[in-house]
């Protein structure tokens, strides 16, 4: 099918702001592609600005300079003109559309662009490496533009630069797929369950279009495909935890390192996936080697947390130390300086069998049977089965004493709920001495220009929570504290690549930022308390009419949550429950 059809749908999607309308447009696009499942698969990736599932690490995003060069090359418009138009238009998509419309040279033959050609060429651009890669990228992109209609050029250019920004993320695609092929949006849950154990939007799209419900039954846990991690709710006391997940819970130390899902293949190959499902095997060859050796000849998927340890004492070190390991070069040296221990707390797959539906208690028994008794790099999580408040509190104190963040309390009867933040896992963390007991992870969506001492940089950032139900980011505070001077000065440069001309369609804000930013970067923030707010859109109208919720006196903790994507940020729902918990606390104290 022609790519023009897709581009036209994208234009319509871009012009609507209503989410339901967006879903309906996307559904129609998918239905048009029903008879060519290969195209549907490709469009599913493209719509969220990707080419392959995240875990394969195929990254688009060619630099601005290269993109402008290619636009000039394909249209015959001088580079200087392209540059000055770009300054005026501010958007590479609109620029490409303008340039194609005003081509100075007309190609001899123009070939209509098909979805498969566009996809194939984009993949070629993404995968080009080595000496001639720049050349390949420019030529391939220019080649696409030579054959493109103006509206096609708009979207191809944006996709190539990794800036499609239709305001559509995975969950909206699943909504549209459910409407198109399962009869109703209410059936997204079914798709979501499959997506949680097999997070490949293209494959899900294809299977559901080709085989409907029957096909979905075939999507199973597979070695090499990361499962979306199960997440925890939070509570503030042992009492509440036992009420929720009790009467008996498995309490585990909550280590402060990096989450790792470790896949061991029978031939000894090991793949390590991060919380965001990126393949992070490269920076951790020692971890991979240890698991490969110890589990030789077996197949397994483990869920675990890896921490940095003091090479002399074996003591666990804070999270920041481990981050020295996340590098591309000098891995050998970093491995020596920052050795690690991996604390395994779950087994999700073993020798051909998925275990996600097996109760935790049984999974734990299996885990215990296969983990080494004494090993420097691989250890079992420290845990205790507790039934009363006092033992849980005591275990918590021990955990903190040992240098961990607190405890994770888990319901022994629970199955592994991939991608779900439910009440089967509850975290209890060290208190931070303010009413807001723990920090939150917020997405940067805009910035305000600094004044006085801060002139030339940003004075504050506009921060948002994520709402997975509507796939929207909602503002919750303006944050200007907690940055070091250097950090502050480097903010504009550091956030440059996310600058956009207008508010991102997925951001809900009543405030007008000076600079809008694509929701991409997550920062850890601590505040004093959560208050009602007339300007922030988080929980708008939920607690009180014409009011939202805001974080009072927000400060940056210094932690860039590079391990989190915007969709992993604290949710609106969590802020609402923190607000409610705070009210109860005030009542209890008075
Ligand atoms: P979340 O992952 O819940 O969104 P987060 O990344 O901010 O939030 P926390 O809320 O502090 O982290 O806690 C959850 C994380 O704790 C897990 O993702 C995992 O990396 C880590 N963790 C450490 N020890 C354990 C354990 N025993 N069981 C499960 N997770 C653990």
């Amino acid at each position: 099918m022609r790519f023009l059809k897709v581009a036209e749908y994208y234009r319509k999607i871009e012009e609507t702001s209503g989410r339901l309308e967006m879903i309906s447009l996307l559904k129609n696009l998918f239905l048009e592609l029903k008879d060519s499942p290969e195209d549907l698969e490709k469009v599913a990736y493209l719509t969220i600005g990707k080419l392959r599932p995240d875990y394969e690490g195929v990254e688009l995003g060619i630099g601005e300079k290269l993109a402008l060069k290619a636009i000039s090359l394909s249209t015959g418009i001088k580079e200087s003109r392209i540059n000055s138009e770009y300054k005026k238009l501010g958007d590479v998509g609109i620029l490409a559309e303008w340039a194609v419309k005003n081509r100075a040279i007309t190609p001899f033959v123009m070939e209509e662009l098909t979805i498969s050609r566009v996809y194939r060429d984009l993949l070629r651009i993404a995968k080009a490496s080595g000496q001639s890669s720049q050349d390949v990228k420019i030529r391939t992109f220019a080649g696409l533009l030579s054959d493109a209609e103006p509206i096609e050029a708009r979207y191809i250019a944006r996709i190539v630069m990794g800036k499609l920004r239709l305001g559509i993320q995975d969950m909206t695609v699943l909504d549209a797929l459910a409407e198109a092929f399962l009869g109703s949006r209410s059936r997204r849950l079914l798709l979501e369950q499959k997506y949680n154990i097999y997070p490949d939007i293209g494959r899900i799209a294809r299977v559901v279009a080709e085989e409907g419900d029957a096909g979905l039954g075939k999507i199973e846990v597979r070695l090499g495909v990361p499962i979306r991690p199960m997440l925890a709710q939070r509570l503030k006391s042992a009492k509440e935890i036992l009420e929720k997940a009790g009467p008996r819970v498995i309490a585990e130390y909550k280590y402060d390192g990096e989450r790792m899902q470790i896949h061991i293949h029978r031939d000894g190959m090991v793949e390590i996936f991060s919380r965001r499902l990126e393949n992070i095997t490269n920076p951790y060859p020692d971890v991979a080697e240890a698991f490969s050796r110890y589990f030789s000849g077996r197949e397994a998927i483990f869920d675990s947390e890896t921490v940095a340890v003091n090479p002399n004492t074996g003591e666990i070190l804070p999270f920041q130390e481990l981050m020295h390991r996340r590098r591309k070069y000098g891995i050998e040296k970093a491995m020596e300086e920052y050795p690690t221990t991996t604390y395994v707390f779950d087994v999700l797959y073993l020798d051909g069998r998925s275990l996600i539906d097996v109760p935790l208690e049984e999974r734990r028994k299996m885990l215990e049977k296969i983990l080494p008794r004494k090993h420097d790099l691989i250890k079992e999580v420290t845990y205790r089965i507790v039934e009363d408040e006092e033992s849980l509190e005591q275990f918590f104190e021990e955990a903190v004493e040992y240098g961990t963040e607190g405890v994770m309390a888990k319901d022994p009867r629970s199955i592994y709920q991939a991608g779900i933040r439910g009440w089967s896992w509850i975290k209890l963390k060290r208190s931070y001495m303010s009413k807001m007991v723990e920090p939150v992870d917020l997405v940067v969506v805009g910035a305000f220009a600094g004044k006085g001492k801060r002139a030339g940089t940003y004075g504050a950032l506009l921060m948002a929570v994520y709402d997975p139900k509507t796939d929207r980011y909602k503002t919750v505070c303006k944050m200007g504290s907690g940055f070091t001077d250097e950090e502050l000065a480097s903010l504009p440069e550091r956030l440059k690549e996310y600058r956009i001309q207008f508010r991102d369609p997925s951001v809900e804000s009543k405030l007008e930022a000076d600079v809008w930013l694509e929701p991409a970067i997550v920062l850890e923030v601590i505040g004093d308390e959560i208050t009602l707010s007339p300007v922030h859109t988080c929980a708008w109208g939920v607690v009180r009419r014409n009011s939202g919720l805001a974080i009072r006196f927000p400060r940056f903790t210094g932690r860039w949550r590079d391990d989190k994507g915007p969709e992993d940020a604290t949710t609106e729902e969590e802020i609402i429950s923190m607000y409610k918990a705070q009210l109860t606390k005030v009542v209890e104290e008075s």
Side-chain angles (χ1 to χ4, degrees):
M1 186 187 276
R2 284 191 73 176
F3 184 69
L4 186 60
K5 187 120 241 157
V6 179
E8 273 161 0
Y9 268 102
Y10 284 176
R11 184 171 50 77
K12 282 191 228 154
I13 290 173
E14 208 182 337
E15 284 164 4
T16 60
S17 55
R19 201 177 110 81
L20 291 183
E21 221 176 309
M22 257 184 195
I23 295 173
S24 161
L25 284 166
L26 202 54
K27 171 194 82 179
N28 292 342
L29 169 61
F30 290 163
L31 282 174
E32 294 211 35
L33 295 168
K34 186 174 184 337
D35 295 327
S36 52
E38 300 91 41
D39 284 347
L40 174 66
E41 181 174 352
K42 291 167 182 141
V43 170
Y45 295 123
L46 291 177
T47 305
I48 51 172
K50 299 192 173 142
L51 292 175
R52 296 289 309 155
D54 282 343
Y55 57 87
E56 287 188 11
V58 177
E59 295 245 355
L60 261 173
I62 74 172
E64 205 169 270
K65 267 208 191 106
L66 282 195
L68 299 188
K69 222 187 195 107
I71 296 175
S72 159
L73 188 74
S74 73
T75 57
I77 302 173
K78 280 210 190 84
E79 253 187 280
S80 55
R81 178 81 202 279
I82 292 283
N83 284 329
S84 66
E85 275 313 303
Y86 183 48
K87 281 210 181 87
K88 251 196 291 174
L89 297 171
D91 174 300
V92 76
I94 303 291
L95 172 79
E97 185 174 359
W98 167 86
V100 164
K101 222 181 263 167
N102 297 286
R103 273 185 183 114
I105 43 167
T106 326
F108 287 124
V109 262
M110 268 182 76
E111 204 179 296
E112 282 180 357
L113 287 178
T114 58
I115 295 172
S116 56
R117 152 96 188 275
V118 172
Y119 182 84
R120 186 198 64 205
D121 284 0
L122 289 174
L123 207 55
R124 179 176 298 155
I125 294 173
K127 289 195 164 167
S129 66
Q131 261 186 352
S132 57
S133 69
Q134 294 226 341
D135 201 43
V136 172
K137 285 179 199 231
I138 295 188
R139 276 179 201 292
T140 316
F141 180 28
L144 277 172
L145 290 179
S146 304
D147 287 331
E149 300 286 341
I151 191 71
E152 292 176 314
R154 180 197 294 186
Y155 295 107
I156 291 172
R158 284 188 189 158
I159 297 175
V160 156
M161 287 193 65
K163 293 191 184 307
L164 180 62
R165 299 196 313 264
L166 288 176
I168 289 181
Q169 279 124 25
D170 336 21
M171 291 306 146
T172 311
V173 172
L174 294 183
D175 273 329
L177 287 172
E179 270 198 14
F181 305 115
L182 297 178
S184 145
R185 192 152 45 86
S186 62
R187 305 198 61 209
R188 165 180 123 183
L189 204 62
L190 195 69
L191 288 179
E192 207 177 319
Q193 280 165 357
K194 291 299 174 187
Y195 188 60
N196 283 338
I197 57 167
Y198 204 116
D200 178 341
I201 204 89
R203 164 120 201 269
I204 301 267
R206 187 169 177 161
V207 166
V208 74
E210 281 184 323
E211 300 175 61
D213 278 308
L216 285 179
K218 291 184 203 149
I219 294 188
E220 284 297 340
V221 169
R222 192 160 130 199
L223 213 51
V225 177
I227 299 166
R228 296 180 81 202
M230 179 163 172
L231 303 168
Q233 288 283 2
R234 61 179 101 200
L235 282 175
K236 287 185 304 188
S237 71
K239 182 165 174 268
E240 288 171 296
I241 289 183
L242 285 163
E243 276 165 15
K244 268 279 187 205
R248 209 159 54 94
V249 296
I250 299 184
E252 301 171 356
Y253 279 8
K254 183 179 184 311
Y255 303 90
D256 190 14
E258 172 147 33
R259 186 144 183 189
M260 287 190 181
Q261 196 179 102
I262 302 176
H263 290 228
I264 302 157
H265 296 257
R266 199 174 293 281
D267 63 2
M269 199 223 332
V270 169
E271 289 169 293
I272 306 175
F273 298 101
S274 71
R275 187 188 178 297
R276 299 180 68 174
L277 313 184
E278 295 149 331
N279 189 321
I280 49 164
T281 320
N282 274 343
Y284 295 107
D286 44 349
V287 180
E289 154 104 17
F291 278 85
S292 173
R293 260 173 199 250
Y294 191 81
F295 294 98
S296 155
R298 301 198 76 158
E299 283 181 337
I301 301 178
F302 294 116
D303 202 352
S304 67
E305 183 88 356
T306 292
V307 293
V309 292
N310 180 325
N312 304 317
T313 64
E315 269 175 316
I316 62 174
L317 298 173
F319 168 81
Q320 284 81 349
E321 299 293 317
L322 184 73
M323 285 302 102
H324 294 288
R325 292 291 302 269
R326 277 284 213 125
R327 55 169 80 176
K328 272 201 182 127
Y329 307 102
I331 290 172
E332 290 290 321
K333 190 156 171 272
M335 224 162 73
E336 265 168 43
E337 279 175 38
Y338 305 96
T340 61
T341 294
T342 300
Y343 287 93
V344 183
F345 54 79
D346 222 323
V347 54
L348 313 182
Y349 179 95
L350 193 60
D351 298 328
R353 176 179 169 214
S354 163
L355 301 177
I356 57 172
D357 292 326
V358 172
L360 173 62
E361 210 157 15
E362 280 178 49
R363 298 203 303 275
R364 179 52 53 89
K365 283 190 194 130
M366 294 180 179
L367 190 62
E368 248 152 43
K369 265 199 208 136
I370 56 172
L371 282 180
R373 289 282 145 253
K374 223 176 150 19
H375 198 293
D376 283 343
L377 274 91
I378 310 171
K379 293 194 195 307
E380 186 183 1
V381 61
T382 303
Y383 76 94
R384 188 173 302 158
I385 297 177
V386 293
E387 297 185 44
D388 63 282
E389 239 176 280
E390 209 185 309
S391 322
L392 183 50
E393 272 162 15
Q394 201 187 359
F395 187 67
F396 173 79
E397 312 266 299
E398 280 172 36
V400 171
E401 178 69 33
Y402 191 74
T404 71
E405 274 191 308
V407 299
M408 275 283 191
K410 301 179 179 177
D411 180 348
R413 298 157 300 185
S414 62
I415 60 165
Y416 191 90
Q417 295 169 286
I420 305 281
R421 190 185 295 284
W423 291 101
S424 308
W425 285 15
I426 306 175
K427 55 195 173 194
L428 179 63
K429 294 215 236 176
R430 270 176 303 188
S431 167
Y432 289 81
M433 311 310 285
S434 75
K435 274 199 201 154
M436 231 180 97
V437 210
E438 48 173 299
V440 286
D441 297 316
L442 304 178
V443 188
V444 190
V445 295
F448 299 90
K451 299 194 186 80
K453 221 178 87 189
R454 294 190 175 184
T457 178
Y458 297 144
L461 300 178
L462 184 59
M463 309 298 295
V465 292
Y466 177 58
D467 174 21
K469 284 198 297 292
T470 57
D471 210 2
R472 288 281 180 278
Y473 297 94
K474 303 182 182 178
T475 72
V476 68
C477 63
K478 260 169 91 169
M479 178 175 74
S481 311
F483 297 99
T484 61
D485 289 347
E486 296 86 64
E487 223 159 20
L488 203 62
S490 69
L491 277 180
E493 183 59 33
R494 210 157 168 177
L495 298 173
K496 196 171 97 195
E497 65 172 300
Y498 305 105
R499 275 183 79 142
I500 45 182
Q501 289 292 97
F502 305 99
R503 182 167 51 76
D504 188 278
S506 61
V507 171
E508 287 182 13
S509 173
K510 290 181 181 296
L511 291 171
E512 237 348 274
D514 295 321
V515 171
W516 288 111
L517 297 159
E518 190 183 324
I521 295 291
V522 180
L523 303 182
E524 191 181 69
V525 179
I526 181 84
D528 277 6
E529 59 179 327
I530 298 170
T531 55
L532 289 166
S533 156
V535 293
H536 288 290
T537 52
C538 169
W540 191 257
V542 176
V543 179
R544 182 179 298 167
R545 244 180 48 203
N546 294 327
S547 260
L549 290 178
I551 294 175
R552 202 164 112 96
F553 299 133
R555 302 174 293 280
F556 178 40
T557 64
R559 211 175 210 192
W560 293 74
R561 294 299 310 251
D562 296 334
D563 59 326
K564 283 198 169 185
E567 290 159 55
D568 303 315
T570 298
T571 61
E572 178 178 49
E573 207 59 52
E574 288 178 278
I575 297 285
I576 298 171
S577 39
M578 286 167 82
Y579 177 74
K580 288 189 180 151
Q582 194 180 280
L583 290 184
T584 344
K585 195 172 164 207
V586 173
V587 173
E588 275 169 9
E589 279 168 3
S590 58

